[in-house]
Each structure stands twice: as C-alpha cells, then as structure tokens.
C-alpha cells in the first residue's frame, strides 16, 4: 500500500522501494536510527516540523483552540474515504486564517496528511490537558476505514503523546473499552458490522502505540510493558487479516527501534517481551510459503531487536523462536537453478523476490549472531545448533543445504570474531558434529562441502575453547585438503577419526559415536555406509575409552536389529569385535546387562566377539569368572535371584553352547566349564532355586524361560552334546542319569555316573582332572565335593597316572580325609582304598571275580540278581584292568539271561552286559565285538520288552554295542532311542541297524527267527516286523548270503506260525509265505 502519508511520514519502510530491507539490517545491527537514515536521504520532513512548531508555540492559547476546532471540523466533514488524499476546495475563514497565521501554502492546507500532522503538533504544544483530551476524543471518533486515515490518526496521537503521555494513554484505554470491545464482540458472534468506520479500530490502536513509543522516547520506558500488553491483547482478540498483521508489525517495529535507540533501556527489565515475541512468531508461522514475502525478514529482525532487551529471552522462548524461524525459512521452495532453456532461472525471477530471499537468510544469520552475543559460550552455540538438527536430517535436499549453509556462516562468524567468556565443553557438541559428518556423502555437492567445512570449524572452536594458540594438527590438515578425490576417502576418514579423538572430550566423543550409531537404521545407503566405516575406523585407529563402552554398547544393542543393509550390519559387527578386543571385560559386563539371556537379542553381539579366536577365549574365560561370583545364601535373600551376575553368566553360557561361532572355544574351555556348571548346580540347590525342575519336558517347545537350576542342567547337557562328546551324553541320557542331577539328594550319584561315562569314552580326563585338583584346594565346600566325586572315578582310567603321579593323588586324597564335609571325607577314603591306589588289590579282585563267576555259571543259582550286583561292583573297582577271559565268559552267560522269565534278572543281565563290553580296553575290544554283534537283535527286540525298566536298560546296552561296533549312524540311532516315537522311529532304527552291518543281513534273520516262538507277545510281534522288513527290503541280499542249511532253520520257526492261535502270526505267515518260498528257491 502506498500513500502520500507513507511517503511523508514513513511508518512502514519495507513497503517502499526507496527503503529496502537492507536498511533495516544496518539499523538493527549497527544502531543506525530511522531519523539518521532519513536525514542522509535528504528528507525535509524534520525541518518542516520544526518550522511549524516554532510558529505554533508563538500562538496564544486562545488562538490555538479555534485553529484546532477548524482543523477538526474540516477533517470530520471530509473524513469519509473518497479515494482522494486531498480535501475539496472550501471557503472556511478559519482555515484561511490558519494559512495566514502559519504562513502555509494554500494548496498544502488541502492535504489530509498535512492537516493530521499539524493537528498532532498543535496538540503536542497545547498546555491545557482538557483541550487535548477533548480534541483527541474527536480525533479517535473519526473513521478508521482508510489506511491513510489510520496512519494519520496514529501519527497525530504519537505527536500528542510526546507532551501528554498520560492523557493519550487514557484516551486509548477508553477507545479500547468503548469501540474495540463492541467490534470484537460482533466478530465472535459472526455478525457483520454495518458501520465500517470501526471495523479496523484495533489496527489504529496498534499504530497509535507504535507512534507513542516513537515520539515519547525516553518517557515511554516505564510504559513499555503496558503498551506491549495492549498490543498483544489487540492482536490476540482480533481476526488476523493483512491489515491487522501489517499494523501490528509496524507497531512492534517502531517500539523495537525506540528501545534500541534509548541508552537507558538496559536499566529496565521488561516483562511482556516474550508475549510480544509469541505474537510475532504466530504471524511468521502463517506466512505464505513463497520466496517474495516482505514480512518474513522484517519479523525476524524485530524479534532479533527484542531479544537484546533485558531480561534476555528464556531458553524455552528462544527455542520457540529458533524453531519457528528455521521452519519458516528452510521450508521455502528451492531456488531453481536452471530453466528449460538452460539459462539461469534466477535471472528470470522477480528481482525483489531475490532480494527478499537473500535478506531473509541475512536476517536469520543476524538472529543467530545476536543470540550468541548475549551468551558467548560453547553451551549457547550448541543450544543454537541443536535446533537445526531436524533440518540436517530432512529428506529434502534444499532444506539440508540451507541448514548447513546457515550453520557455516554462523560458525565462521564465531571463529573470526567471538571470544568465549567462559570455558565449557558441552557433550552435545559431539552429537552435532556427528550430524554434520553424516552429510559428507550427501547427494548435493554443496551440502557435502559446507558440512565438511562446518566440522572443521567446530573442531577449531574446540581448540580455541581449550586456549590453544595454534590450530590442532588434524583440523589444520583437513583445512589444507578440502578437495579430496575419491581415492583419498579412507585417508580422509582416518584423519577425521584422529581429529575427533584428539580434540573432543570423552563425553563429546561418546555423543559423536552414538549419533553415528543412531544413523545406521536410515534407508540412505550412503549415509549408513559412511557411518559404519567411520565407526570402524574410530574403533580401530583411535579406540574408545573404557568409560564409553557402556553407552556405546547400549546404543548398538538398540540399533542393530533395525539396520536394513546387510553390508552395513557386517561392518558394525566388525567394529564390535574391535571394541571387544580393546575392552573385553567391560564389553562382557555390559552385554550381560543388556537383556536376559533367554531373550537371545544379544546373540549377534556375542557372535561378533567370537570372530576373533583369542577374543572368544577371553570372553568365555570372563563368563566363567562371572559364573563363580556366588554370594552366600543369606546375601541373596534381599535381592532377586535373576539379578545375580552368576545367573546372567549361566544363561549366556547356555545360549553360547548352541552358537556355532563359539563351538571351538567351548571345546577349548571344556574342563573349566564342566566343573563350573557342576559347582553352579550345587550352589543353586543350596539357594533353593529349583523352580521348573520337576515339570520340565524336553519335547515341549515353550517360550517360558527356564529356571536357574534347569538352565544349569541343560547347559551341562549341552556342553557334552555341542563339544561332540555325544557318547557321554547318550550314556547318561539312556540310563536316565540326568534325572539324578535334578535334586540335591541324588546329585552325588549323578556326578559319579557322569564321571564314569567320561572315563569309558575317554572324555577330557586329563583336563578335567587338572581342574579337579585345583578345586580340591578351594575354600568353597561345593568345589571340594564336585572335585572329589570326579577324582575318585577318574582313578579307574588307565591313563590317570600319566596325568598325575600316584603320590600327588595320594596326598590330595589324604588331605580330603580332614575336610569338614562328610561326603568329601567318605569319597577320599574310597579313593585311597581303590585298586588304582593299591595295585595289589587288582589280583585279589580278579580272583574274587573268577570265583563269583563260577558260582554264577552253576545251574540252579538262586540269587542271580545279587550276584550280578556284586560282579558289577567288582567290575567298577577294576575298571579297565579286568581279566579278558573272565569278562568274556561273563558276557556270554549274560547273553543267555536276556530271555529269563524274571524281569529283574533279565534287566540286570542286559545292564551288566553293557558294563562288561564298555569296560574293555583298546587291546581287548576286538574280543568283545562278536558278543556285541550277537546281542544286537536280542537287544533290538527287547526294546519293546513288557517291562519298561528292562526296555530302558536295553536302550543303553544297545547303544553301547553300536558304539563298540562303530556303526556309521550311531549318533542318529541314539536320537531315535532317546526321543523317537511311533512307526517312523522304529523304521529309522531298523535302517540304522541294517545299513551299518552290510553283508550280515542273514545273521540278523537267523537271530530274529528264534523270537518267533517267544512267550512274550510284544517280542514275538517285534520279531515278525523285523523279519518282514528284511524279507521285503533285502530279499536279494538274503538269497546271496544264506545257505541250504540255513533254510531248515527258517522253516523250523516259520512253519509253526501257520497254525498259531494268534491272528497276527497267521497273517504274517500268509503275507510272507511267497517271500520265504522265493528265498528257498534262490538260495544256492
């Protein structure tokens, strides 16, 4: 809007092309007043006012009043908007007299602008307050519809306030109560105002307050808070249109200029400034999103000026200012770089739009400088930069570029001119450096260059903050080599990693690392790749401090599952390996605390630690040490058991047992793990943490976490299984020996059975013996118990004295006799009295065994069960030192007892047979293979023995035979024996047996035929299944291996089935009669 009044008395200089906004920048930045600028432009307005003022002062009071009345009546008569700024010709003698008295140009007296200014001057010079009040009332009652009228009224009111401030204030208050409230009430009721004269009265009031501040000067200071409160009220209570917005901004601008020009401003504390700022921000938020906006830079500059007043803006208000300003500026449409014809588009833009955009960016830069000038510290710098973070991570390229460019200009100003008043090292600086660093691989080349320069400047600021007179080595290198080729990318990252480590504090460095970690989940591949590679280099070259490990690992743990790019994830895990190598103990402690091991969310981190063999061993060792942190029972009652560090270590070990990356390391630490887990199980029994032991089912897939005791027992099982000592595991499993370890009463029996199986299968005896010797010297009673149970059984190993001398073992066992634990004393005595410690006992036991065998072989022996129990004990005492001939005879006789009618005898014979063939040494193994082969079919069929206990013992002995015979599928066979059910498991067992004995199918057939006459129907049916499968699947092989003499045996057992009373037997006969006939026909 342009008018003669605006040209004569400039209220809104941004509207005029003769007052570009750069003038406002100079005025607010360097304190150049509006009046001085006008004088420089050669304005004659002031000289005109001074001339008229001197003439008005020369008038008598009686002469002033008629002149005021004449001007007022003229303005009232011609006050309605007519589109012309000139009054119609008139013959008023008073006006003509006015022109003569004041020596005015008759044409000039016809201008409304001039008359309003003259009206204000006369009111200012009038000494009678009542007259001033009367004529101000008439002035304010004029129409407020025209813009020039509103501005003229405000100007006149401002002039009057210079001498009659209180009167003017009272009149404006009356105007608000009488006219504005009525207008506001109609607005809220959505009623149209028939009288347009008062529609924009709020705009007039706002302009009046601005002019009051301009003309009252130093008198206005005590009134500032009241004026601001009224301005805020008018703005908040009116409908915000362009007229109100322009008037409010004019008033705020005039108020700000006045306060900046008064030196006494610093002596006042203004309480209403934040509310005024909020109104300005409200206008800024509603500004249209296009480049040529005249209000945007003006608002920022006014806010800038207000922020200099005391007290300074509070952080919350300042944060709001930054948020709104950044949003308003950075969201502007991008400046087009090219037109379709290839010419620069800026050349085709409106020049005023280009100027306004540049001035907007300039105003924003001045705002940042002003804020940091108020508080020259690194804390303030970080506070300001913090509000650019959303724009640095924006998805729009032009928004990121504007943000980085603003930061660059701001930082350059700081480095060049600002001297910090206090030393501060805010940790958040590392976060901001990290955000800028992530833009080094931005799609926009300018953003890349700006961000790199910003990082350099921030590092330079940290150097200055430390008081160094010279630049840091690495930032200096970076400055010298700003244009890097792609080949130098690795060297560039290396230099930055060194610079970060050297110039940042530990807290800043940590925030930098956390920022890079948080960016790994971005879908921007370039950004993720940069972050991962820089992290790896920072870990490898500079490394982290121990106090950084916890925060870094917590962040990595949170971000790792959401990293979308596989190559980035691998790089990060490699960095994890490096971190673990540098700080293994801290890493293990932190990863243990991240989540419960049963959740398995930390497995990727543990796997990363296993990438390095030495590190993996260190990790397992640390977990073993944590496992041994077992506070006494009375100290655990006040805390939750799951929080015990030993339980976390236990759960982690259990999970790592089944992690492929740790298999070799677990095997390396087998002995220590074994004693650690056995001791931990005893400790948990002491604590009473036995929940979940009794109701555990192996074949149930339950997401419920295992209890501590069950976890420990399952870890013990897994230790043997995953270390490929499955024979030991299977031996205990099929004898239900693991159940002995489920309660404290049978714990010792379970450990003894486990140790015995380890001796039989030569499982890490040397290493475990060494650990047991160490544990015997422990002050912990449970360590002594586990050690002595293992040691006494290991005495039965033929190589035990190659690992430890008899004298050393004798001393250890002798010391055990004085132990406070009864079990330790008893087992020590047992060990001291064993055949291993007294070789002369071996011959006595052998003789005793031969004598018992004679009694065992006599017909009519009554207590066969008792004899087998005694023979079992002697066999255990002898270990592998028994007599081969006696053992062979015993095994042969036991084989004949497999079909005994008594379940106890049958079961005892099967179990003792397994002990006999397992007790043979490597030299005597061949002698027992024939007996084991003879027992295969009987044991296979007795898997369905009517007695469940016999069937269970049969599984154990059957597997022992398979191990002795070295079947190919013995591990798979164990799985079916232990957990298989139904026809599928039966078929698999049949295949494993037959396929592991190529060329011996006919012998299996002949052995199975004898069971067709068994009095036990389950055995008879099992035999028919086995024979039928052989005839169906291996008929050709049977024809090849059988002889004519064997056919008579086949017919002997097959023909009676024809007349058998059992329907199943007769059906079997009919189904396989043709196969038997073909077999008889083809056997050579």
């Amino acid at each position: 809007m342009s008018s003669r009044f605006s040209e004569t008395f400039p209220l809104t200089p941004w509207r005029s092309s003769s007052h570009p906004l750069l003038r406002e920048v100079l005025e607010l930045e360097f304190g150049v007043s509006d009046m001085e600028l006008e004088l420089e432009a050669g304005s004659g307005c002031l000289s005109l006012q001074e001339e008229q003022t001197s003439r008005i002062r020369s008038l008598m009071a009686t002469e002033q009043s008629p002149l005021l009345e004449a001007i007022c009546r003229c303005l009232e008569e011609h006050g309605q908007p007519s589109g012309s700024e000139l009054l119609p010709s008139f013959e008023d003698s008073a006006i003509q007299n006015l022109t003569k008295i004041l020596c005015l140009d008759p044409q000039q007296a016809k201008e409304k602008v001039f008359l309003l200014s003259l009206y204000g001057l006369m009111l200012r010079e009038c000494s009678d307050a009542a007259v001033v009040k009367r004529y101000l009332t008439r002035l304010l009652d004029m129409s407020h519809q025209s813009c020039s009228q509103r501005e003229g009224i405000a100007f006149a009111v401002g002039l009057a306030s210079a001498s009659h401030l209180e009167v003017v204030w009272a009149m404006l208050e009356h105007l608000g109560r009488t006219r504005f409230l009525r207008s506001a009430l109609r607005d809220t009721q959505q009623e149209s105002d028939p009288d347009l004269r008062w529609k924009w009265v709020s705009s007039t009031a706002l302009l009046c307050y601005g002019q009051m501040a301009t003309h009252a000067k130093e008198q206005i200071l005590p009134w500032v808070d009241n004026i601001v409160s009224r301005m805020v009220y008018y703005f908040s209570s009116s409908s915000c249109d362009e007229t109100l917005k322009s008037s409010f901004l004019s008033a705020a601008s005039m108020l700000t200029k006045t306060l900046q020009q008064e030196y006494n401003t610093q002596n006042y504390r203004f309480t209403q400034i934040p509310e005024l700022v909020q109104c300005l921000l409200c206008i800024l938020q509603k500004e249209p999103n296009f480049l040529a906006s005249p209000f945007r830079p003006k608002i920022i500059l006014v806010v800038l000026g207000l922020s200099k007043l005391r007290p300074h803006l509070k952080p919350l208000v300042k944060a709001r200012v930054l948020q709104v300003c950044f949003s308003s500026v950075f969201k502007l449409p991008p400046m087009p770089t090219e037109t379709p014809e290839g010419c620069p588009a800026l050349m085709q833009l409106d020049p005023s739009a280009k100027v306004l955009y540049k001035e907007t960016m300039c105003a924003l830069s001045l705002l940042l400088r002003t804020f940091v000038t108020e508080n020259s510290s690194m804390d303030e710098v970080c506070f300001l930069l913090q509000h650019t973070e959303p724009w640095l991570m924006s998805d729009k390229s032009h928004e990121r570029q504007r943000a980085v460019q603003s930061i660059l200009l701001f930082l350059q100003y700081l480095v060049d001119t600002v001297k910090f008043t206090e030393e501060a090292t805010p940790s958040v600086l590392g976060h901001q450096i990290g955000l800028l660093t992530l833009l080094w691989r931005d799609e926009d080349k300018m953003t890349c260059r700006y961000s790199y320069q910003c990082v350099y400047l921030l590092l330079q600021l940290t150097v200055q903050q430390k008081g160094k007179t010279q630049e840091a080595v690495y930032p200096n290198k970076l400055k010298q080599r700003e244009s890097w080729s792609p080949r130098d990318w690795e060297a560039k990252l290396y230099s930055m990693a060194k610079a970060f480590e050297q110039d940042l504090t530990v807290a800043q460095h940590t925030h930098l690392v956390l920022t890079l970690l948080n960016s790994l989940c971005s879908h921007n591949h370039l950004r993720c790749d940069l972050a991962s590679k820089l992290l790896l280099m920072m870990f490898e070259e500079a490394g982290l401090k121990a106090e950084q490990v916890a925060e870094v690992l917590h962040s990595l743990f949170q971000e790792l599952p959401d990293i979308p790019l596989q190559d980035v994830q691998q790089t990060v895990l490699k960095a994890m390996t490096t971190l673990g190598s540098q700080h293994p103990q801290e890493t293990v402690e932190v990863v243990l605390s991240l989540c419960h091991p049963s959740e398995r969310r930390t497995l990727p981190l543990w796997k990363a630690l296993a990438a390095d063999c030495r590190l993996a061993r260190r990790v397992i060792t640390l977990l073993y040490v944590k496992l041994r942190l077992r506070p006494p029972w009375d100290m655990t009652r006040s805390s939750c058991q799951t929080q015990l560090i030993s339980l976390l270590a236990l759960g982690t070990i259990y999970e790592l047992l089944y992690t492929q990356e740790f298999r070799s390391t677990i095997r390396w630490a087998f002995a220590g793990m074994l004693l650690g887990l056995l001791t931990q199980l005893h400790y948990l029994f002491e604590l009473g943490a036995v929940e979940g032991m009794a109701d555990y089912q192996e074949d149930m897939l339950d997401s419920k976490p295992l209890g501590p005791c069950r976890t420990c027992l399952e870890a013990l099982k897994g230790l043997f299984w995953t270390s490929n000592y499955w024979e030991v595991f299977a031996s205990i499993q099929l004898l239900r020996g693991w159940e002995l370890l489920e309660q404290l009463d049978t714990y010792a029996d379970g450990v003894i059975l486990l140790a015995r199986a380890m001796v039989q299968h030569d499982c890490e005896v040397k290493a475990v013996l060494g650990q047991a010797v160490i544990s015997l010297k422990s002050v912990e009673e449970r360590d002594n118990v586990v050690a002595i149970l293992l040691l006494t059984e290991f005495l039965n190993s033929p190589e035990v004295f190659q690992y430890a001398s008899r004298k050393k073992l004798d001393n250890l066992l002798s010391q055990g006799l004085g132990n406070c634990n009864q079990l330790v004393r008893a087992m020590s005595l047992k060990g001291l009295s064993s055949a291993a410690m007294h070789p002369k006992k071996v011959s006595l036991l052998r003789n005793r065994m031969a004598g018992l065998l004679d009694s065992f072989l006599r017909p009519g022996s009554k207590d066969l069960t008792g004899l087998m129990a005694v023979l079992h004990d002697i066999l255990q005492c002898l270990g592998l030192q028994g007599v081969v001939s006696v053992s062979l005879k015993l095994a042969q006789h036991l084989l004949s007892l497999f079909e005994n009618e008594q379940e106890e005898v049958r079961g005892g014979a099967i179990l003792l047979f397994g002990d006999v063939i397992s007790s043979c040494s490597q030299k005597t193994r061949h002698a027992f293979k024939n007996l084991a082969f003879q027992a295969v079919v009987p044991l296979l069929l007795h898997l369905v023995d009517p007695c469940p206990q016999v069937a269970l013992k049969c599984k154990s002995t059957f597997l022992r035979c398979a191990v002795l015979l070295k079947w190919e599928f013995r591990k798979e066979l164990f799985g079916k024996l232990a957990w298989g059910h139904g026809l599928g498991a039966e078929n698999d067992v049949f295949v494993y047996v037959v396929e592991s004995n190529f060329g011996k199918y006919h012998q299996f057939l002949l052995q199975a035929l004898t069971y067709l006459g068994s009095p036990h129907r389950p055995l008879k049916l099992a035999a028919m299944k086995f024979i039928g499968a052989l005839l169906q699947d291996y008929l050709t092989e049977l024809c090849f291996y059988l002889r004519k003499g064997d056919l008579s045996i086949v017919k002997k057992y097959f023909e009676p089935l024809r007349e058998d009373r059992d329907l199943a037997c007769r059906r079997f006969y009919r189904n396989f009669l043709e196969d038997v006939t073909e077999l008889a026909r083809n056997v050579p």
Side-chain angles (χ1 to χ4, degrees), residues 59 62-75 77 87 90-106 109-110 114-115 118 122 135 138:
L59 297 176
T62 55
E63 295 176 317
Q64 293 179 359
S65 183
L67 295 178
L68 281 172
E69 179 66 26
I71 297 173
C72 185
R73 188 173 65 253
C74 180
L75 291 173
E77 291 176 358
L87 298 177
F90 52 85
E91 300 298 334
D92 192 318
S93 59
I95 295 297
Q96 293 178 358
N97 186 37
L98 176 68
T99 59
K100 293 179 180 179
I101 295 174
L102 297 179
C103 303
L104 300 177
D105 183 3
K110 295 182 179 181
F114 178 78
L115 289 178
L118 189 62
M122 295 183 70
Y135 285 104
R138 295 177 65 179

Side-chain angles (χ1 to χ4, degrees), residues 76-93:
E76 288 174 343
E77 291 176 358
H78 307 284
Q80 297 299 326
S82 59
S84 173
E85 300 298 332
L86 297 176
L87 298 177
S89 59
F90 52 85
E91 300 298 334
D92 192 318
S93 59

Side-chain angles (χ1 to χ4, degrees), residues 90-305:
F90 52 85
E91 300 298 334
D92 192 318
S93 59
I95 295 297
Q96 293 178 358
N97 186 37
L98 176 68
T99 59
K100 293 179 180 179
I101 295 174
L102 297 179
C103 303
L104 300 177
D105 183 3
Q107 189 65 27
Q108 192 178 28
K110 295 182 179 181
E111 297 180 0
K112 287 184 182 179
V113 172
F114 178 78
L115 289 178
L116 284 169
S117 62
L118 189 62
Y119 192 84
L121 288 173
M122 295 183 70
L123 289 176
R124 184 183 69 182
E125 301 303 327
C126 181
S127 60
D128 190 345
V131 173
V132 173
K133 181 178 180 180
R134 182 172 67 253
Y135 285 104
L136 277 177
T137 301
R138 295 177 65 179
L139 177 66
L140 293 175
D141 281 341
M142 296 180 186
S143 173
H144 299 268
Q145 183 177 359
S146 168
C147 178
S148 61
Q149 183 88 348
R150 292 193 300 270
E151 292 178 347
I153 292 173
F155 188 73
V157 170
L159 289 173
S161 67
S163 301
H164 307 283
L165 184 58
E166 294 184 2
V167 175
V168 170
W169 176 262
M171 296 308 301
L172 289 177
E173 288 288 282
H174 178 73
L175 177 69
R177 288 192 301 269
T178 57
R179 297 298 183 181
F180 174 71
L181 288 179
R182 295 177 187 175
S183 177
L185 180 62
R186 280 191 291 270
D187 289 342
T188 57
Q189 296 177 352
Q190 298 182 348
E191 296 180 1
S192 60
D193 187 2
D195 189 0
L196 295 178
R197 296 173 64 251
W198 302 105
K199 182 177 181 180
W200 291 283
V201 65
S202 58
S203 296
T204 303
L206 288 171
L207 292 173
C208 288
Y209 288 125
Q211 290 291 350
M212 284 174 62
T214 300
H215 293 87
K217 298 188 182 299
E218 70 276 359
Q219 301 178 56
I220 204 66
L221 293 180
W223 295 80
V224 169
D225 285 333
N226 289 332
I227 290 176
V228 172
S229 65
R230 296 303 184 270
M231 291 173 60
V232 171
Y233 171 72
Y234 278 114
F235 177 82
S236 304
S237 303
S238 305
S239 57
C240 187
D241 54 13
E242 289 297 315
T243 300
L244 180 72
K245 182 170 66 173
S246 175
S247 300
F248 181 81
L249 191 53
S250 295
S253 177
M254 287 186 281
L255 177 64
T256 304
K257 293 176 186 177
T258 300
L259 295 178
Q260 282 189 298
Q261 293 168 4
E262 295 298 327
Y263 294 104
N264 293 331
T265 301
Q266 297 302 318
N267 297 327
Y268 283 84
R269 297 180 65 85
F270 305 105
T271 61
Q272 298 296 315
I273 297 302
E275 285 71 17
L276 181 60
V277 171
Q278 292 291 352
C279 294
L280 292 168
L281 295 180
C282 182
I283 297 176
L284 187 59
Q285 281 184 300
K286 296 178 181 180
E287 273 296 280
N289 191 31
F290 57 84
L291 296 173
S293 170
F295 289 103
R296 183 174 287 107
K298 183 66 177 180
I299 294 171
I300 297 175
L301 289 171
V302 172
V303 172
L304 182 156

